[in-house]
Amino acid sequence: MVPTEHHGDQWEPYVDNGGSTLAIAGEDFVVIGSDTRSSDGYNINTRYDPKAFKFTNNTVLATTGYRADCKSMAKSVQAQITKYAHDHGKEMSVEAMAQMLSIMMYQKRFFSYYVFPIVAGIDKEGKGAVYSYDPVGNMERVGFRAFGSSSALLQPFIDDQLGFKNRADIKPEERELHLPDLQQAKNIITDVFNGAAERDIYTGDGLQLFTITKEGGIELEELPLKRD
Amino acid sequence: MSITQYNGSAIVAMTGKNCVVIGCDKRLGQQALTVDMNFEKVFRVKDKLYVGLPGLATDVQTLHDRIRYRVNMYDLEEERAIQPDNLAHMISNMLYQKRFGPYFCEPIIAGLTEKDEPYIMGMDLIGCLSSAPDFIVGGTASDNLYGMCEALWEPDLGPDDLFRSASQALLNAVDRDAMSGWGAVVHVITPEKTETYHLQGRQD
């Protein structure tokens, strides 16, 4: 063996554990779907590691990326939310939580969490709200968003079905007039996740569907996805 | 970035009931710079037989020329029309002849057989064939196309519905891919005729 310089053996602070999330905002509800697989390369670490969690009676945070960072970040967010409730005697709103997360992420600007979060909830007007972020905290309120290893498979389909892109029947500007109902939104998520689980090796095993409504609070359904 | 992604492309082929469609985007780029907005990547081989060539544009043109030459020679020597499976194996063989210095192109074949049954076939850049009962996608927008096609494709679609599904799949896929787009062409192949549609898409 010829002695050579060693390259590529450096310690890497980040790992992509795969998985996908997809949130859809309706007139008075939000649905957020996420798979439960967690992988490292060709290995599946676990088939049940939920990516989405309830934070208040009105908000869910779903995060793909590096699992350790997702969990660490979620823990910090939960701590702040609990503290807020004690300090102010009320639950934090989605708007406040969304803004807070952006700030918390930007505070780690130069050693960022490797995460792609989506915050979903019902806003102060009673409307469905979805906020999406990049890993340094750039935030945008959107009508629907897909993140994670299957984002390329999921996003074009919801652009078509919910954004009415490239369609003859409905113009994208008229999207607000054609918001999906709860069942439609759920069907879109389950359908497109089944497609993603078919083709993306990092998405599969189980699908968690969080539904948030003003009256019903947060409901969780668990459905099976392909396990191979 | 791989050399197969240097110019950008998106191609999709779908089967239906006694029909197939094959479509492509029209962009030609050099990485992020768009050079041509009317660069088609799907070519007619016979009336009911088309080949899509996603990949490096120089190899797309060279392969198209060589396929045309080989198919013309086949016509003269065999005195019968080449069938889709014959063409697939012909191209596969051409690619494997360049096993250690390949064309950077992953061809997709779509057509109707002698019995007017739909036929689609894909292959990698060294000619490894892969068939599918439903759809085959290729190019820089292939992930996007997989997502669209998995959701939109269903068995036994007629030519009109199949055209709609393939067009929606193609347009929405290329809109989320920076390397492909700038309009699309879709060929709808039925036993009676082949119709070609030029689709208006986002110009950005």
Side-chain angles (χ1 to χ4, degrees):
Chain A
M1 185 78 179
V2 185
T4 51
E5 283 183 49
H6 283 281
H7 294 288
D9 286 342
Q10 270 207 13
W11 177 70
E12 291 269 344
Y14 295 124
V15 172
D16 185 353
N17 295 115
S20 310
T21 55
L22 169 57
I24 298 174
E27 183 60 43
D28 56 355
F29 69 87
V30 196
V31 219
I32 179 156
S34 53
D35 73 312
T36 63
R37 180 175 291 180
S38 181
S39 321
D40 186 358
Y42 291 129
N43 282 319
I44 295 172
N45 291 331
T46 168
R47 298 188 188 279
Y48 190 74
D49 183 11
K51 288 169 198 33
F53 293 102
K54 174 183 166 177
F55 277 78
T56 67
N57 285 317
N58 186 33
T59 49
V60 166
L61 169 65
T63 319
T64 59
Y66 182 26
R67 294 310 293 148
D69 279 0
C70 298
K71 286 177 174 168
S72 167
M73 188 186 76
K75 206 171 171 184
S76 308
V77 172
Q78 183 59 262
Q80 288 302 127
I81 283 175
T82 310
K83 186 168 181 295
Y84 180 101
H86 284 116
D87 288 349
H88 298 89
K90 63 174 183 183
E91 273 196 334
M92 195 183 266
S93 64
V94 215
E95 294 95 323
M97 180 178 158
Q99 185 60 41
M100 184 188 74
L101 181 60
S102 169
I103 291 163
M104 287 174 69
M105 289 172 78
Y106 197 78
Q107 279 171 344
K108 278 178 62 66
R109 172 64 178 78
F110 296 108
F111 187 32
S112 346
Y113 290 121
Y114 184 39
V115 289
F116 297 89
I118 298 179
V119 169
I122 305 293
D123 71 7
K124 281 176 179 162
E125 292 171 21
K127 289 182 173 160
V130 172
Y131 293 88
S132 79
Y133 303 80
D134 78 353
V136 285
N138 178 20
M139 175 183 74
E140 186 183 9
R141 184 170 171 174
V142 291
F144 46 86
R145 171 69 85 233
F147 267 148
S149 55
S150 282
S151 60
L153 287 81
L154 306 170
Q155 190 70 42
F157 183 66
I158 49 175
D159 285 343
D160 182 32
Q161 296 293 312
L162 302 165
F164 303 107
K165 297 288 170 67
N166 295 303
R167 280 177 48 165
D169 49 351
I170 300 166
K171 288 184 183 134
E173 304 86 85
E174 294 163 3
R175 189 181 76 80
E176 299 284 332
L177 305 172
H178 296 88
L179 290 175
D181 65 33
L182 183 55
Q183 198 52 50
Q184 280 175 320
K186 281 186 183 177
N187 289 345
I188 287 171
I189 292 178
T190 47
D191 282 358
V192 80
F193 258 95
N194 278 314
E198 191 81 31
R199 297 286 177 177
D200 176 18
I201 58 166
Y202 298 113
T203 296
D205 293 326
L207 173 63
Q208 286 198 318
L209 259 183
F210 278 93
T211 308
I212 315 174
T213 52
K214 200 165 191 183
E215 311 81 44
I218 299 177
E219 265 182 60
L220 170 62
E221 286 170 71
E222 297 202 342
L223 303 157
L225 283 176
K226 275 172 73 86
R227 286 164 62 87
D228 57 0
Chain B
M1 192 185 271
S2 156
I3 193 69
T4 55
Q5 295 172 11
Y6 182 71
N7 300 116
S9 55
I11 294 183
V12 61
M14 270 186 188
T15 60
K17 195 172 173 62
N18 298 319
C19 56
V20 278
V21 298
I22 182 164
C24 66
D25 73 312
K26 290 189 185 178
R27 181 179 181 269
L28 171 75
Q30 285 175 27
Q31 312 223 56
L33 171 73
T34 301
V35 173
D36 189 353
M37 295 100 94
N38 198 24
F39 187 84
E40 293 182 27
K41 299 152 191 87
V42 170
F43 305 100
R44 194 191 82 101
V45 177
K46 290 273 155 198
D47 279 347
K48 287 186 273 183
L49 182 54
Y50 282 68
V51 61
L53 302 170
L56 189 67
T58 179
D59 290 344
V60 168
Q61 291 176 326
T62 307
L63 262 178
H64 177 218
D65 288 350
R66 289 200 56 200
I67 290 167
R68 191 172 51 194
Y69 168 75
R70 287 285 299 268
V71 169
N72 285 342
M73 290 304 287
Y74 185 101
D75 282 353
L76 294 168
E77 285 167 10
E78 302 286 329
E79 295 184 337
R80 61 193 162 98
I82 192 167
Q83 290 303 302
D85 55 336
N86 304 142
L87 180 71
H89 282 92
M90 181 191 274
I91 296 172
S92 168
N93 180 258
M94 281 169 61
L95 291 176
Y96 199 78
Q97 285 180 342
K98 296 268 188 283
R99 171 63 179 80
F100 296 109
Y103 293 114
F104 295 101
C105 183
E106 304 182 338
I108 294 169
I109 290 128
L112 292 176
T113 64
E114 271 174 317
K115 294 171 184 164
D116 285 334
E117 284 158 350
Y119 180 95
I120 53 170
M121 185 65 90
M123 65 189 85
D124 68 6
L125 76 171
I126 50 170
C128 178
L129 295 165
S130 72
S131 67
D134 40 17
F135 52 81
I136 291 181
V137 302
T140 49
S142 62
D143 281 2
N144 308 30
L145 282 164
Y146 272 127
M148 288 305 296
C149 292
E150 279 291 348
L152 290 180
W153 186 89
E154 47 188 296
D156 296 326
L157 288 174
D160 290 352
D161 290 334
L162 193 65
F163 164 67
R164 257 188 283 275
S165 292
S167 303
Q168 286 299 314
L170 196 51
L171 288 173
N172 288 292
V174 298
D175 283 355
R176 285 280 176 182
D177 176 31
M179 301 295 287
S180 57
W182 250 291
V185 196
V186 176
H187 306 276
V188 184
I189 307 165
T190 57
E192 297 77 36
K193 60 182 185 297
T194 299
E195 287 206 88
T196 299
Y197 300 92
H198 289 260
L199 307 175
Q200 178 74 255
R202 284 178 70 115
Q203 305 291 302
D204 62 358

